[in-house]
Amino acid sequence: MTRTPDGLSFLPLGGTGEIGMNFNLYRLTQNGHETWLAIDCGIGFSGNDTPEAEVLMPDPAFIAERAAQLCGLVITHAHEDHLGAVAHLWPYLRCPVYATPFAAAVLRRKLGEAHLAHQVKIHVVRPSTRFEVGPFDLQFVSVTHSVAEAQAIAIRTPHGMVVHTGDWKLDEQPLVGPLTDLDTFRALGDEGVLAMVCDSTNALKEGKSQSEAEVRTGLTDLIATLEGRVAVTCFASNVARVESIAKAAQASGRAVMIVGRSLRNLEVAARECGYFSDLPPFLTEQDARDVEDDNLLMIITGSQGEPRSALSRIASDTHPNISLGQGDTVIYSSRMIPGNEQAVMAVQDNLTRRGVTVLTDKDAMVHTSGHATRDDIRRLYEIVRPTYSVPTHGEWRHLTAHAALAREVGAIPVLLEDGDLLNLSPGEVKVIDTAPTGRLALDGGRLLPMTGGVLAARRKMLFNGMVIASFAVDDEGYVIGEPKISAPGLLEADDPESVRISEEFADAIDVIPDELRQDDTAFRDAAKTALRRALGRKLQKRPLVDVHLLRV
């Protein structure tokens, strides 16, 4: 086996070239011994290209094979696309986890639901703290983002320092949590930074980031003008936004109710960590009948059109406790994640059909992104002064825009995709190898490969339907009675085409050669071929087919 030369490498297994599923690895090799460090382990949400699955996550197979060399998993912040996969993938990793108090509080609830709470060792690390994980010398650096206690990470190694930004922005009035710690970033730059691995989400957006304080003012002004029930939907993990909504409601004399499990979990985690201390406990949906419409504001999960979310069920009038209609207002204090547009628009359309007024950031100042815009990115590069730039967290158009911006301010950009193993030091900074990558779908309690047989069959059924044929044969292999055809999602039972297919299938299995009739597998395969032939002529589709053969 070839000995790995000593040095430092970076490997994204998720989140580079895509939105969500952030899963990054660093490899430090000393005296030929490899040690791996993971940063973040998040989920992604299904888009129009993956209708057969709702929740996606990166395939951990590469690092699972090296779990003995994995010294830890560090979480930068408590967003789903950075920690949502931990409870599902930790059994493959089996390493200690490091997180700030708020991220740890959120993660504990997820691990509890997965019955892993007593197995996973969580080290709680205060924000802005320096600590060690294996041979890696790490330092949390506080940054502003749309969640409490977001941290960048300075990674000091014998081969140089890397600044891994996580998600961040510049905001002079973040309202919850500190400003992005530019003084510490400047000190890191003075120390010398080999590479900055940096968020690219808003690399196409010109200008400075807008402040959360502007959103709070915008929400307060807007809600004061509204009558009837008011509902606001936002990302459940955005502590500052939930606080802004609650304070805007208070200013208009409205009590605040939260609707949806993820928001209830957020409130528990936030109050546990000292947030919302000047807000009374929020009402629950069981209190809905006790408050006058004009005195109520609901914060509701489901800003991305998730089909089982509270807002989706309210929009389709299937929620057990909450209904909205004529004279009520829903405010979207969020953006649409790319790929979710169709789902979000469907929910908004259902709300509008019910007489609800839907307002978005196009109508009022009710949302700002938690990600750095071009001016923010430019300023951070000028402060940190890295030799190399490694854009992550974005699709290819975001990464290339980020790379061009980095080059403008004097850094050498290196563009990667998931699976590219980048040598950082010593020697030339370049891709030296590739690692297998993939996506897993969460299907109930199971993790299934997107390229596997189960989801491939589901895709085929989704677009082409499925046809099942059943027939009985005697000991000689000759058909008894009439074959039965079922085609859910393709044909109605009394459709003339069903009758035609049944007849053609019956004729086709009558002429299957005798030598195939004695072996069930061969007979079944021949019958499947006959069924496909009967289907293909007029339907012009290639549905999934199956044959049930019964010997009597």
Side-chain angles (χ1 to χ4, degrees):
M1 180 178 175
T2 305
R3 171 174 157 152
T4 304
D6 287 4
L8 177 65
S9 304
F10 171 65
L11 171 64
L13 290 183
T16 297
E18 63 192 353
I19 299 291
M21 288 187 286
N22 295 283
F23 190 33
N24 300 290
L25 300 173
Y26 288 89
R27 181 181 70 183
L28 182 60
T29 308
Q30 298 172 299
N31 301 317
H33 175 71
E34 292 184 359
T35 306
W36 293 86
L37 172 73
I39 294 183
D40 291 330
C41 184
I43 63 171
F45 291 103
S46 175
N48 296 336
D49 59 331
T50 53
E52 69 279 18
E54 277 185 51
V55 175
L56 308 175
M57 55 197 72
D59 188 337
F62 174 84
I63 192 62
E65 294 174 0
R66 296 159 177 81
Q69 286 80 50
L70 181 62
C71 62
L73 165 63
V74 183
I75 303 298
T76 60
H77 64 281
H79 272 155
E80 288 291 298
D81 61 332
H82 291 259
L83 63 61
V86 175
H88 304 290
L89 300 187
W90 186 86
Y92 298 93
L93 310 177
R94 310 201 74 81
C95 65
V97 179
Y98 298 77
T100 64
F102 180 71
V106 172
L107 185 56
R108 281 193 198 99
R109 279 160 183 77
K110 293 181 176 295
L111 292 171
E113 292 172 359
H115 308 292
L116 289 172
H118 300 297
Q119 295 185 45
V120 182
K121 175 64 176 174
I122 300 179
H123 296 274
V124 178
V125 182
R126 304 298 306 178
S128 303
T129 297
R130 191 162 172 174
F131 59 106
E132 291 183 354
V133 179
F136 292 90
D137 178 353
L138 307 180
Q139 181 180 351
F140 272 161
V141 183
S142 291
V143 293
T144 299
H145 185 46
S146 53
V147 68
E149 300 176 359
Q151 305 291 299
I153 306 173
I155 306 169
R156 291 180 175 88
T157 77
H159 298 280
M161 185 200 301
V162 176
V163 171
H164 187 106
T165 69
D167 292 358
W168 66 282
K169 67 181 285 191
L170 299 182
D171 187 339
E172 295 176 0
Q173 287 184 283
L175 300 181
V176 172
L179 280 67
T180 294
D181 188 352
L182 295 181
D183 289 341
T184 297
F185 278 118
R186 187 172 285 107
L188 296 174
D190 292 343
E191 191 176 333
V193 174
L194 170 63
M196 187 155 74
V197 177
C198 189
D199 176 13
S200 307
T201 308
N202 270 350
L204 292 164
K205 189 172 182 179
E206 295 289 352
K208 293 182 178 180
S209 290
Q210 293 175 299
S211 173
E212 183 64 30
E214 297 176 62
V215 176
R216 185 169 295 186
T217 300
L219 284 165
T220 302
D221 293 346
L222 175 61
I223 290 168
T225 68
L226 301 175
E227 297 179 351
R229 287 188 167 194
V230 175
V232 185
T233 185
C234 66
F235 294 110
S237 54
N238 191 338
V239 172
R241 186 63 49 79
V242 171
E243 183 180 283
S244 291
I245 296 165
K247 293 202 168 184
Q250 282 185 327
S252 296
R254 290 178 180 265
V256 178
M257 173 188 298
I258 54 173
V259 183
R261 186 182 63 163
S262 56
L263 275 167
R264 290 193 296 274
N265 288 341
L266 165 85
E267 182 184 12
V268 173
R271 292 189 188 276
E272 182 181 305
C273 296
Y275 301 102
F276 302 157
S277 57
D278 58 345
L279 292 171
F282 300 141
L283 303 177
T284 66
E285 55 200 67
Q286 282 71 35
D287 303 314
R289 296 179 183 85
D290 301 331
V291 184
E292 292 291 330
D293 288 358
D294 289 340
N295 296 330
L296 179 66
L297 182 139
M298 295 175 281
I299 308 176
I300 301 178
T301 57
S303 66
Q304 299 307 302
E306 302 93 328
R308 288 193 290 274
S309 68
L311 188 59
S312 291
R313 288 184 290 149
I314 291 167
S316 59
D317 199 26
T318 58
H319 194 280
N321 301 312
I322 307 294
S323 62
L324 293 173
Q326 194 71 39
D328 297 332
T329 303
V330 171
I331 300 168
Y332 273 75
S333 185
S334 59
R335 68 180 179 94
M336 284 189 270
I337 294 174
N340 292 348
E341 295 88 351
Q342 193 171 349
V344 174
M345 296 304 290
V347 173
Q348 292 181 356
D349 198 50
N350 282 338
L351 289 167
T352 304
R353 185 179 288 115
R354 301 186 60 76
V356 176
T357 299
V358 176
L359 301 175
T360 71
D361 58 355
K362 294 178 181 177
D363 303 297
M365 182 57 188
V366 296
H367 177 65
T368 185
S369 174
H371 297 271
T373 55
R374 290 177 67 82
D375 281 3
D376 293 3
I377 295 170
R378 187 178 288 111
R379 188 174 176 201
L380 190 64
Y381 273 99
E382 290 169 349
I383 289 170
V384 176
R385 309 179 300 282
T387 304
Y388 293 93
S389 161
V390 183
T392 57
H393 202 299
E395 296 171 342
W396 195 248
R397 58 200 169 96
H398 305 111
L399 304 184
T400 53
H402 183 158
L405 190 57
R407 186 179 287 109
E408 282 178 27
V409 291
I412 302 168
V414 183
L415 285 168
L416 302 178
E417 292 185 283
D418 290 341
D420 287 341
L421 180 64
L422 177 69
N423 176 64
L424 289 169
S425 178
E428 186 180 354
V429 175
K430 65 177 182 178
V431 175
I432 55 172
D433 204 349
T434 57
T437 60
R439 293 187 293 176
L440 304 178
L442 183 62
D443 186 63
R446 304 180 299 168
L447 289 177
L448 300 174
M450 289 295 291
T451 54
V454 172
L455 291 178
R458 192 174 298 170
R459 274 192 295 277
K460 191 164 187 178
M461 284 188 282
L462 184 66
F463 293 107
N464 290 307
M466 181 174 186
V467 180
I468 302 169
S470 304
F471 63 97
V473 296
D474 60 20
D475 289 342
E476 299 291 317
Y478 288 96
V479 177
I480 301 169
E482 295 294 326
K484 302 295 183 186
I485 300 287
S486 174
L490 192 64
L491 294 170
E492 299 290 350
D494 56 354
D495 192 311
E497 195 66 8
S498 293
V499 176
R500 193 272 306 168
I501 291 168
S502 296
E503 292 173 349
E504 289 197 16
F505 176 62
D507 291 343
I509 57 176
D510 275 346
V511 297
I512 290 174
D514 289 351
E515 58 268 24
L516 298 179
R517 293 175 179 271
Q518 301 308 312
D519 178 76
D520 283 1
T521 299
F523 198 174
R524 194 178 292 112
D525 288 344
K528 281 186 181 181
T529 301
L531 181 57
R532 288 191 191 98
R533 194 175 300 124
L535 288 166
R537 294 193 183 106
K538 289 188 179 178
L539 288 180
Q540 297 182 345
K541 280 184 174 289
R542 294 185 61 82
L544 197 71
V545 302
D546 199 9
V547 170
H548 294 169
L549 183 154
L550 175 67
R551 287 190 184 270
V552 293

